[in-house]
Amino acid sequence: MALERRKVLGIGAGLAVLPAGWALHQVANGTKRDWHTDTAPLERAFPLLSPLSDAKWVSSRDSDDRGIPSPELVISGFARLTPGRLAELTAAHAFVSEGPTDGFSSWFEKPLKGEGPENPQWVRSHELDRDGSGYSTKLWFDRRSDTVRFWALNPYG
């Protein structure tokens, strides 16, 4: 009887420790992020910007609180251009001073609020924004940080 009672207490103690141990393991390994950091999908979506050195982006197909992913693919976020790439783009295309009008207003963009360059000086080239064939892209560039902020609907066509 005493042996069985110790087993039950031991199992109960083990079960109580499991959630805390799992949470610490998740944090230590950084397995859950609020955004993507891989640049390869962005380089496929925006070949003119390649190669990219780093990124923080989200997708409308990421899981959300509602539990229903979007039927259309929208990607949104920030990426860093390699040194000199923005200078090449501004030499080849017309740019105007223009910043984004919204502040990541979609449900899936919430993790991006507060991210990005400090005090950006956004410029935009309407030539580089693509419209038609079922997709649309908006690109804003910060000259100081070589960062591009992007929003794209169906970027892969």
Side-chain angles (χ1 to χ4, degrees):
M1 174 93 159
L3 183 58
E4 284 182 33
R5 195 162 132 194
R6 277 189 259 166
K7 280 185 185 178
V8 169
L9 288 175
I11 291 171
L15 290 175
V17 171
L18 269 176
W22 179 82
L24 288 173
H25 178 74
Q26 296 292 86
V27 169
N29 290 334
T31 56
K32 174 68 176 119
R33 293 196 178 175
D34 291 333
W35 53 70
H36 303 274
T37 58
D38 48 333
T39 59
L42 302 179
E43 290 171 348
R44 282 192 308 277
F46 314 119
L48 190 63
L49 305 180
S50 296
L52 298 169
S53 61
D54 68 319
K56 286 184 182 176
W57 61 279
V58 293
S59 161
S60 62
R61 293 199 180 146
D62 295 340
S63 63
D64 69 351
D65 297 335
R66 300 178 309 173
I68 302 171
S70 173
E72 294 187 303
L73 174 63
V74 176
I75 58 173
S76 180
F78 299 99
R80 181 80 44 105
L81 302 172
T82 55
R85 186 68 185 125
L86 184 53
E88 292 172 8
L89 291 171
T90 56
H93 302 278
F95 278 79
V96 295
S97 292
E98 183 180 326
T101 57
D102 65 358
F104 299 114
S105 58
S106 295
W107 58 266
F108 69 94
E109 293 176 304
K110 289 177 187 174
L112 296 173
K113 288 187 183 219
E115 297 298 321
E118 279 190 42
N119 302 314
Q121 294 181 347
W122 298 115
V123 294
R124 183 176 181 188
S125 173
H126 293 277
E127 293 175 49
L128 298 179
D129 291 350
R130 300 175 296 174
D131 292 308
S133 302
Y135 58 88
S136 176
T137 299
K138 296 177 184 171
L139 304 170
W140 299 271
F141 300 86
D142 177 36
R143 292 181 189 264
R144 285 196 243 170
S145 65
D146 286 331
T147 298
V148 59
R149 177 179 167 185
F150 58 88
W151 182 95
L153 171 65
N154 297 325
Y156 306 106

